[in-house]
Amino acid sequence: MPIFLIEPDHSTLQNNSWHITPEIISSFPIINNYSAEINRLKKNTNSLLDVSVEERLDFFDALTENWISNPSNILNKYASLGISFLIPFLKRSNLCRLVKSALYGNIAFLDTFVEMTELGKKIMAHPRGLITHWLAGNIPMLGMISLVQGIISKNSNVVKLPLENGLVLPSLFADVNHFVSGFNSEKSHLWKNILESVLFVYCEKENMEGQKMLSKHSDVRVAWGGKSAVEQVLSLPKKHTADDLIFGPRSSFAVIGRNSLDIKNLENIALKLALDTSMFDQQACSSPHTVLVEKGGQVSPYDFAQALAAGMQKACRRIPKQPVSADEAYTVVNTRSEYSFSGEVFSSQGTEWTVIYSEEKGLADPCYSRVVFVRPIDDINEVVPLVNQNHQTLGLLLDDRRKVSFAKKITAKGVDRITDLGKMNLYDYPWDGVFPISRFIRWVSMD
Amino acid sequence: MKSINSIDNFLRLPPFEIDENRKSNLFSAMMWKAYTFHYNNCPEFQLYCQKQHITPDKPAPALPQYPYLPVNIFKKHKLISVPENKIKNLLSSSATSGNVSTIYIDALTAKRQMLASSSITAAYLGNHRRPFLILDEDPLLSRSKNISARSAATRGILMFSDSEDYFIKNTTRGLVLDKNKLLRQLEVYENSREEICIFGFTYILYNYAIKFLKEKNITFNLSDKTKVVHIGGWKKLEREQISRKSFLNEIEMTLGIPKNNVLDFYGFTEQMGLVYINSGDSPKTVPLYAEIIIRDFQTLESVEEGKAGLIQILTPLPYSYPGISVLTDDVGRIIREGKDREGRWGTKFEIIGRAKKSEARGCGDIMSESMGKES
């Protein structure tokens, strides 16, 4: 079973499907000599080492400006795939902050030796070499998070695409190429070369020889996906010097304190949480599935559930729901029916969204498909024992007096991010406990 | 009780002789009687229906407006519409996981199940009895845990047998087909030209009998009145890329039985007694005692003919539990209404598959997991 090369163009898109199907696979060219292909990729990348980080940031910034100014094209094409999440991420101001925060406040470390007075020497951040990104199909744009950081840090990047939504990034890169080709500037050639540091491949999960090949060449292995997917990557042989960055399965939830919610802000807060729930149809690890509402405030947990239902309806207009499968539809109906016996169900007529109020304790098992559970708690500290390392993001609305103390306890148990409601899905850093770019570089020093 | 008696009378009508117009009013009236009964006698069902604002003090709704219970609800809730001391039998669905549906059956429901099942089956098999060759264990000799669920699935059809031969043995290697015994019996009936019925779970029938005959190049020319009845779904055969067409062709080739004599039965524990049968490559026909609705995955609305969705079945049959409107995890589509080529009235439909991740729960699935390789 071979490793296939996937060129970033639109010709592979058949029947407007983003998925890699057996028919499409047979049309991909086979990489006969993967080592030679990697050498070629590294050669391309190395020829660009002098392209500064600033130049790279300019490139992504110009790209987003172009996309925003031509909204009918790119934004519509990728509307349901998370492009609205990607654009703010790619903006110069954001990427610059990201790189700075991972590099002790100075992005120039990626370009040259810089005096580090505390150490009494000069240091520099070199790329690790080759990063292989094993992507997940549920949120196709998420792979851009690690890929862009791989490009900025001057690494070579191999992107192992998933079957589900596997053609999204090659198509997006075809659009990036199109932008670069049409850009009337001397930078056009330079930017085109930046794209040459990326190679898209497909290799079947069962193709262990191919998977091993991908792994053995990697200096950093980045794995996005579910438990079995990331465990498979971790089980592959690797260079003893290679590093792993695992973005495995996590889930998220929200907590609202009793003194933080009143009649005035109820609608606004409910809408923010509804947008968090609706973005990516709860497929993201940062999507909330349960909202725990502390009793005793001006707004009861039940009233909040009702307000959240209204918010979900509004959010559905703003972020249209992706079609669900038979399995998802049945799961939604089954969950609604089950809770009709033991709680209160607020929902759309169809399978678009569901809010379930019940007085059960603990966090609900995620149902996905925009099904969110609202549960009352007597005190915010009841949440602490519920948390473990499988929990990634906590959307929190809590008075300042209790916030830091609560945050310390909850993050000690496993939560990596605490955000305001409405910001749960915004990619920020650290993510899953790490600054990814800091794992993509190798620090060197000189007296 | 009067209203319930009228449902019993309704279940005595022939299953495929009443046209759609006549059925429509009659069926709606029976459904509303059944709904009112369960609403008034099962508190959990009442609560469920109240939340959907369908209450007996209002006019009867159109069929698609009836609240429906997903089959999984019967795994988590004890739903009974009669006093518990009236319950005579518990029906459990087969399942590969620990979650099983439990259906509470009283004498009247059992009687209705038997009545409906025999009327529907007779419309395809005829009323006479014949020898049955059964590709399963003899329930009297069995040590398998799941035999009771399988027996329940087959009990109805054995009313049409005058003798039964079983061809699956439970050995230390698992369940195995007694191939020599099967070959001997097929030869006997080939020579006698006697009408028989070969019965089995779809996967077992194909993978352990038909495939074996085909590979060994053994063919029989059984009486052209012989029927092959199979139940349990296509999931496993589809995985092995065996199409319905090749399944029928291979049965015809190995046993000499016309394709139209191959009957595929579909039904589920939550509405035991109702079977949906198709002969050969024709679609299944819904009997008078039930109606099918296909629900769109996105809108959950009832969809038009030809469009795929989740299968919902309505029937006034269950008395002791409120399984009168059930949403299955099977995906299907309505082919057309009207008569089929044998003159049977009723909505025609086909099953496309099962909602992807739902657990394999068919008896055949479980039995096939237990099958050893050789006899």
Side-chain angles (χ1 to χ4, degrees):
Chain A
M1 286 192 284
I3 298 173
F4 297 94
L5 176 69
I6 303 181
E7 299 285 2
D9 63 39
H10 299 304
S11 62
T12 47
L13 280 183
Q14 292 176 2
N15 305 321
N16 290 325
S17 168
W18 297 110
H19 304 318
I20 295 178
T21 60
E23 298 76 50
I24 297 174
I25 291 173
S26 61
S27 70
F28 294 149
I30 291 170
I31 300 176
N32 291 316
N33 186 337
Y34 187 70
S35 299
E37 194 65 30
I38 292 303
N39 285 340
R40 189 193 61 77
L41 180 71
K42 283 183 173 174
K43 204 172 160 193
N44 288 344
T45 312
N46 290 340
S47 71
L48 296 167
L49 286 176
D50 287 338
V51 178
S52 68
V53 175
E54 290 284 357
E55 286 279 9
R56 291 165 194 260
L57 299 182
D58 283 348
F59 164 64
F60 288 115
D61 203 46
L63 184 66
T64 55
E65 285 302 318
N66 176 271
W67 285 349
I68 294 166
S69 57
N70 297 288
S72 58
N73 296 330
I74 302 299
L75 298 191
N76 286 350
K77 188 172 172 184
Y78 302 102
S80 62
L81 297 161
I83 191 79
S84 58
F85 147 90
L86 182 64
I87 287 177
F89 171 73
L90 291 179
K91 287 188 86 62
R92 190 181 208 293
S93 54
N94 180 61
L95 289 177
C96 190
R97 276 192 300 136
L98 183 155
V99 181
K100 262 188 182 173
S101 57
L103 297 181
Y104 305 111
N106 191 345
I107 65 172
F109 283 126
L110 280 167
D111 294 329
T112 187
F113 281 98
V114 176
E115 186 74 40
M116 188 85 162
T117 43
E118 293 87 342
L119 297 174
K121 58 172 77 173
K122 290 177 178 173
I123 62 169
M124 181 181 175
H126 274 299
R128 295 291 301 269
L130 176 68
I131 305 173
T132 305
H133 310 255
W134 276 264
L135 300 194
N138 56 345
I139 312 283
M141 290 293 173
L142 216 50
M144 287 294 283
I145 299 286
S146 57
L147 177 57
V148 167
Q149 296 185 63
I151 294 171
I152 292 172
S153 55
K154 305 186 182 183
N155 284 281
S156 301
N157 297 275
V158 170
V159 181
K160 205 292 283 175
L161 297 163
L163 279 178
E164 185 191 358
N165 289 316
L167 298 176
V168 173
L169 291 197
S171 172
L172 185 72
F173 263 63
D175 288 314
V176 176
N177 270 328
H178 180 73
F179 155 74
V180 170
S181 305
F183 200 80
N184 192 14
S185 154
E186 59 189 29
K187 289 181 175 176
S188 177
H189 181 67
L190 184 68
W191 290 354
K192 197 165 180 54
N193 286 344
I194 290 176
L195 299 175
E196 295 290 316
S197 65
V198 180
L199 186 72
F200 291 104
V201 300
Y202 177 72
C203 172
E204 284 163 347
K205 195 169 69 178
E206 300 76 21
N207 178 4
M208 289 311 291
E209 283 312 305
Q211 295 281 356
K212 283 178 188 172
M213 187 78 82
L214 297 180
S215 177
K216 281 178 181 172
H217 281 84
S218 309
D219 296 297
V220 182
R221 306 187 299 180
V222 178
W224 296 89
K227 189 166 178 271
S228 65
V230 299
E231 280 179 351
Q232 188 190 25
V233 173
L234 287 172
S235 71
L236 298 168
K238 63 171 185 174
K239 291 180 187 176
H240 75 275
T241 52
D243 198 359
D244 292 325
L245 198 48
I246 304 301
F247 298 112
R250 312 284 297 276
S251 74
S252 298
F253 64 102
V255 170
I256 296 175
R258 71 170 66 88
N259 297 327
S260 309
L261 203 55
D262 58 38
I263 301 296
K264 280 184 205 158
N265 69 4
L266 175 62
E267 191 180 332
N268 183 33
I269 294 297
L271 179 61
K272 283 181 174 174
L273 187 61
L275 290 168
D276 281 338
T277 309
S278 303
M279 188 174 273
F280 306 124
D281 292 337
Q282 282 182 309
Q283 292 288 315
C285 44
S286 49
S287 305
H289 299 274
T290 305
V291 190
L292 301 170
V293 183
E294 199 178 30
K295 289 196 268 191
Q298 199 182 94
V299 177
S300 72
Y302 183 87
D303 289 344
F304 179 75
Q306 274 188 311
L308 181 58
M312 292 296 286
Q313 182 62 37
K314 280 184 200 160
C316 199
R317 285 195 289 271
R318 209 181 282 187
I319 311 169
K321 176 88 180 281
Q322 285 300 292
V324 294
S325 66
D327 173 52
E328 289 164 330
Y330 183 79
T331 305
V332 168
V333 173
N334 189 47
T335 306
R336 286 178 183 176
S337 299
E338 200 182 317
Y339 279 92
S340 290
F341 289 98
S342 58
E344 201 65 48
V345 178
F346 308 92
S347 70
S348 58
Q349 284 286 109
T351 47
E352 294 87 355
W353 60 266
T354 310
V355 176
I356 292 172
Y357 175 83
S358 74
E359 304 209 341
E360 279 172 279
K361 297 286 179 196
L363 298 168
D365 286 338
C367 175
Y368 303 96
S369 295
R370 302 195 190 187
V371 176
V372 60
F373 297 84
V374 178
R375 295 180 174 181
I377 47 173
D378 293 317
D379 187 273
I380 201 119
N381 286 310
E382 287 172 31
V383 179
V384 179
L386 306 176
V387 173
N388 58 49
Q389 291 184 335
N390 293 322
H391 296 118
Q392 187 211 54
T393 301
L394 167 66
L396 182 63
L397 182 66
L398 188 62
D399 53 280
D400 289 342
R401 190 175 51 83
R402 295 190 289 168
K403 195 168 183 175
V404 171
S405 147
F406 179 67
K408 278 167 127 178
K409 290 182 208 162
I410 220 86
T411 50
K413 291 277 288 183
V415 163
D416 285 331
R417 302 171 66 226
I418 297 177
T419 74
D420 293 336
L421 298 182
K423 294 180 178 173
M424 292 181 72
N425 291 308
L426 293 183
Y427 176 80
D428 57 16
Y429 24 88
W431 186 267
D432 273 359
V434 293
F435 289 93
I437 212 162
S438 66
R439 306 282 287 274
F440 295 168
I441 54 170
R442 181 171 60 89
W443 286 104
V444 295
S445 67
M446 179 175 71
D447 286 335
Chain B
M1 290 303 283
K2 191 182 170 191
S3 62
I4 300 303
N5 282 336
S6 69
I7 289 175
D8 291 304
N9 289 338
F10 171 71
L11 294 172
R12 289 181 194 284
L13 293 171
F16 299 110
E17 290 176 21
I18 293 175
D19 67 44
E20 273 116 16
N21 287 337
R22 283 169 61 212
K23 174 178 174 177
S24 175
N25 290 336
L26 193 54
F27 186 81
S28 295
M30 293 302 116
M31 271 306 295
W32 192 233
K33 281 179 198 297
Y35 184 83
T36 304
F37 171 76
H38 291 291
Y39 183 96
N40 290 329
N41 290 283
C42 177
E44 294 87 355
F45 186 68
Q46 185 180 91
L47 177 69
Y48 188 77
C49 298
Q50 279 170 346
K51 287 183 176 177
Q52 300 192 40
H53 313 293
I54 307 286
T55 51
D57 55 328
K58 293 178 182 165
L63 294 185
Q65 266 67 59
Y66 274 91
Y68 47 83
L69 294 168
V71 285
N72 280 44
I73 285 297
F74 294 96
K75 292 176 179 169
K76 298 200 172 168
H77 294 272
K78 185 176 180 179
L79 299 173
I80 311 182
S81 304
V82 296
E84 279 209 45
N85 61 10
K86 299 282 182 196
I87 298 301
K88 302 286 181 205
N89 194 12
L90 300 184
L91 269 183
S92 296
S93 63
S94 51
T96 45
S97 74
N99 292 332
V100 292
S101 287
T102 303
I103 309 298
Y104 297 84
I105 305 293
D106 70 339
L108 180 58
T109 304
K111 189 178 152 195
R112 288 177 176 184
Q113 287 175 341
M114 196 51 85
L115 194 65
S117 165
S118 59
S119 303
I120 297 165
T121 309
Y124 287 84
L125 284 183
N127 275 316
H128 56 287
R129 291 172 177 266
R130 76 219 68 190
F132 264 56
L133 275 55
I134 301 169
L135 295 168
D136 198 348
E137 294 176 87
D138 185 340
L140 297 176
L141 305 175
S142 173
R143 287 172 292 159
S144 300
K145 283 182 189 165
N146 199 241
I147 189 71
S148 58
R150 298 211 303 271
S151 295
T154 61
R155 201 175 300 136
I157 198 168
L158 294 185
M159 289 173 58
F160 297 88
S161 78
D162 56 17
S163 65
E164 291 118 38
D165 264 320
Y166 291 88
F167 297 91
I168 303 288
K169 290 189 298 190
N170 198 344
T171 70
T172 49
R173 286 172 293 143
L175 299 177
V176 294
L177 176 70
D178 189 340
K179 289 171 182 166
N180 290 333
K181 184 181 173 189
L182 180 67
L183 292 175
R184 274 198 314 273
Q185 287 300 85
L186 288 173
E187 202 177 335
V188 167
Y189 289 114
E190 181 182 44
N191 293 331
S192 70
R193 312 303 298 156
E194 191 178 352
E195 177 187 344
I196 58 167
C197 180
I198 300 168
F199 175 82
F201 291 98
T202 310
Y203 182 77
I204 307 294
L205 170 72
Y206 180 80
N207 215 39
Y208 292 87
I210 304 300
K211 200 169 151 190
F212 159 70
L213 296 175
K214 188 185 153 202
E215 283 170 359
K216 299 285 179 194
N217 243 337
I218 303 170
T219 58
F220 292 92
N221 184 20
L222 299 171
S223 154
D224 62 5
K225 287 184 179 167
T226 293
K227 299 279 197 298
V228 170
V229 171
H230 62 101
I231 63 174
W234 286 88
K235 201 173 172 183
K236 282 201 142 194
L237 286 186
E238 272 168 6
R239 218 180 289 153
E240 294 183 13
Q241 299 189 318
I242 307 297
S243 68
R244 282 164 204 253
K245 195 178 166 189
S246 56
F247 176 81
L248 293 170
N249 282 342
E250 289 177 28
I251 288 179
E252 189 171 34
M253 194 176 75
T254 52
L255 300 175
I257 296 170
K259 287 174 198 169
N260 285 344
N261 285 8
V262 180
L263 306 177
D264 182 1
F265 279 42
Y266 166 73
F268 43 93
T269 310
E270 294 77 8
Q271 286 183 344
M272 190 66 89
L274 292 170
V275 279
Y276 307 88
I277 304 171
N278 64 292
S279 60
D281 53 9
S282 63
K284 295 184 183 303
T285 303
V286 179
L288 174 70
Y289 325 127
E291 197 49 275
I292 185 169
I293 287 169
I294 304 291
R295 294 210 172 262
D296 182 75
F297 307 133
Q298 320 306 327
T299 66
L300 298 177
E301 297 288 335
S302 137
V303 300
E304 72 268 26
E305 198 174 293
K307 199 173 171 204
L310 292 168
I311 294 176
Q312 177 194 352
I313 304 268
L314 295 121
T315 176
L317 189 151
Y319 179 71
S320 51
Y321 68 100
I324 57 170
S325 172
V326 165
L327 186 78
T328 73
D329 48 10
D330 291 314
V331 177
R333 70 173 142 238
I334 290 173
I335 306 290
R336 62 176 183 277
E337 294 192 332
K339 270 187 186 178
D340 65 13
R341 60 190 173 205
E342 280 88 24
R344 296 184 193 96
W345 284 100
T347 310
K348 311 290 179 291
F349 73 102
E350 67 175 357
I351 295 162
I352 300 167
R354 177 163 284 179
K356 205 173 70 181
K357 288 181 201 159
S358 55
E359 63 186 297
R361 64 191 180 108
C363 294
D365 291 333
I366 295 165
M367 188 180 172
S368 64
E369 303 296 334
S370 312
M371 288 294 280
K373 289 291 174 203
E374 290 300 325
S375 62

